[in-house]
Amino acid sequence: MSLAGKHGSNSPQLDPMNDVTSADPVEQERGPHWISRAAFQVVSILFFSTEAVLGLAVYHGWIWLAVPLVMVASHFMHGFLIGFHEASHSLLRKNRLFNDIEGNAIGVFSLMSFTLYRVVHQTHHAHLSSERDEEMWPFAHPRIPRWVRCTAAILELTVGLVYTPMIFLRAFLRKNSPVRSSRVRRRIWWELALSAVVWIAIIWAVAHWRMWSYFLWLYLAPAFIAANLQSWRKYIEHVGLTGDTVNGLTRSIVADTWPGRLVAITLLHEPFHGVHHQRAGLPHAELPQRVADLMPMAPGEREPFSSYRHALLDLLRGLGNPRAGSQWREL
């Protein structure tokens, strides 16, 4: 069901915990499987286990093993980035303090201020793919030349580890920033300073003990890939869509194979992205239970894709002129 049909507007509700229905009352009563609820913990265990084996491979010079392990670690790092997103909605941990501590920890290693991400991400939910959506800059701005949008897409999809934090810093530092509270701005500055101190200490330690090979294999290579995976997933979710409703502005993936469902769990059910935008306060484990909300109910909407491969092909058709938002149809 489209957001317009549910709420009478195009803006998603930031606290949509009430009036939730399910396509399967029995499944709703039973609740999500414990593996779904513990998805982040499972991802964490798998990530650190992979890192331990990867460190052993680097120590022995087993490049044949290190390369595939970097790819595996990258996927789990991508899962951490989605955990960071969950923490920004205060959904990663039930305890708010633990939620924010974990969010800040992931933020430091993602080169991102947790509070800054939380504030800017609110604009993404409140003004999805409109010119007030800071995360979709510059693709939601018809007045920005095509070459600028293409350059931004190339940078975000290839060097997302550096470029994505710059998008959020732009929103923070630019004139008429959506981050207006002086208290929140001070907190962001403190988080940025903390991140700088931590990274100075890390680089000093790596240089002092000459552990550059470990730093490259265990952090930099998988983090670089994970950031690009995050960017590609963001583009798959929104770029190239010009509908009027949440489902018309969002690509969702409902896998029809067990590998696809496994990927959805390790990505904290982010593939059910339309449900998340309609019900931003819903824990990730409960998103699959609302799959009926993804069915087309308005012009411009489409059924969920059965895999990321199919959704990627749909994205690529319009990536040569990257744009997002219904405002493009008015030109």
Side-chain angles (χ1 to χ4, degrees):
M1 185 179 295
S2 71
L3 187 66
K6 290 177 184 174
H7 304 294
S9 72
N10 290 341
S11 299
Q13 305 300 303
L14 297 181
D15 186 17
M17 295 299 292
N18 298 321
D19 194 25
V20 173
T21 59
S22 171
D24 187 347
V26 175
E27 182 69 19
Q28 183 180 12
E29 182 179 349
R30 184 167 60 240
H33 193 278
W34 70 268
I35 293 179
S36 291
R37 293 189 181 277
F40 185 74
Q41 289 82 351
V42 171
V43 167
S44 300
I45 293 171
L46 292 174
F47 169 73
F48 288 112
S49 299
T50 302
E51 287 283 281
V53 180
L54 177 56
L56 186 64
V58 173
Y59 177 79
H60 288 287
W62 297 337
I63 304 302
W64 59 270
L65 180 59
V67 171
L69 286 175
V70 164
M71 303 305 297
V72 174
S74 299
H75 176 71
F76 294 137
M77 273 193 178
H78 185 192
F80 270 104
L81 293 175
I82 299 174
F84 179 71
H85 161 263
E86 288 290 295
S88 75
H89 287 279
S90 301
L91 296 172
L92 188 61
R93 303 293 184 193
K94 291 183 178 179
N95 184 288
R96 179 63 180 262
L97 177 62
F98 291 162
N99 179 91
D100 288 4
I101 289 174
E102 197 147 8
N104 275 286
I106 298 173
V108 167
F109 289 97
S110 304
L111 310 182
M112 181 76 72
S113 160
F114 176 61
T115 301
L116 175 58
Y117 179 86
R118 172 179 270 162
V119 175
V120 172
H121 188 61
Q122 287 176 357
T123 71
H124 179 56
H125 276 270
H127 312 289
L128 179 59
S129 290
S130 76
E131 294 189 40
R132 298 176 65 186
D133 182 348
E134 298 289 338
E135 285 191 39
M136 296 309 297
W137 181 91
F139 312 116
H141 295 259
R143 293 179 299 278
I144 293 181
R146 178 178 176 179
W147 73 267
V148 174
R149 290 180 281 111
C150 287
T151 301
I154 292 171
L155 291 173
E156 191 166 10
L157 294 173
T158 58
V159 288
L161 182 62
V162 177
Y163 182 80
T164 299
M166 295 300 176
I167 295 177
F168 288 82
L169 284 174
R170 171 194 171 275
F172 178 54
L173 298 174
R174 72 173 178 84
K175 184 180 180 180
N176 298 322
S177 169
V179 189
R180 297 187 178 91
S181 168
S182 58
R183 179 181 62 84
V184 172
R185 294 185 69 88
R186 282 195 301 270
R187 179 167 179 173
I188 291 171
W189 281 117
W190 276 110
E191 290 177 6
L192 293 173
L194 172 63
S195 183
V197 169
V198 170
W199 274 106
I200 289 172
I202 290 174
I203 298 301
W204 177 88
V206 169
H208 180 74
W209 281 291
R210 299 181 180 180
M211 300 179 67
W212 291 109
S213 60
Y214 289 95
F215 178 75
L216 171 64
W217 285 97
L218 272 70
Y219 171 76
L220 189 58
F224 183 86
I225 297 171
N228 289 341
L229 290 174
Q230 168 88 348
S231 296
W232 279 98
R233 183 183 52 74
K234 166 189 168 180
Y235 279 49
I236 286 173
E237 290 167 354
H238 298 298
V239 174
L241 301 179
T242 57
D244 292 308
T245 64
V246 165
N247 286 341
L249 292 167
T250 308
R251 294 185 187 90
S252 298
I253 292 88
V254 178
D256 54 5
T257 63
W258 73 262
R261 290 190 287 271
L262 180 61
V263 167
I265 291 175
T266 56
L267 294 182
L268 310 189
H269 304 98
E270 193 73 358
F272 298 85
H273 200 62
V275 181
H276 171 65
H277 270 281
Q278 295 178 34
R279 305 175 185 276
L282 204 62
H284 70 84
E286 298 182 30
L287 299 181
Q289 294 181 289
R290 274 70 184 181
V291 69
D293 293 349
L294 299 176
M295 295 301 105
M297 296 291 289
E301 297 184 353
R302 65 184 78 184
E303 292 186 3
F305 293 86
S306 60
S307 70
Y308 269 110
R309 177 173 61 86
H310 291 92
L312 174 61
L313 291 174
D314 188 68
L315 163 68
L316 292 177
R317 293 188 185 99
L319 196 54
N321 183 20
R323 52 187 182 170
S326 61
Q327 60 273 20
W328 283 96
R329 301 204 320 271
E330 300 172 1
L331 298 181

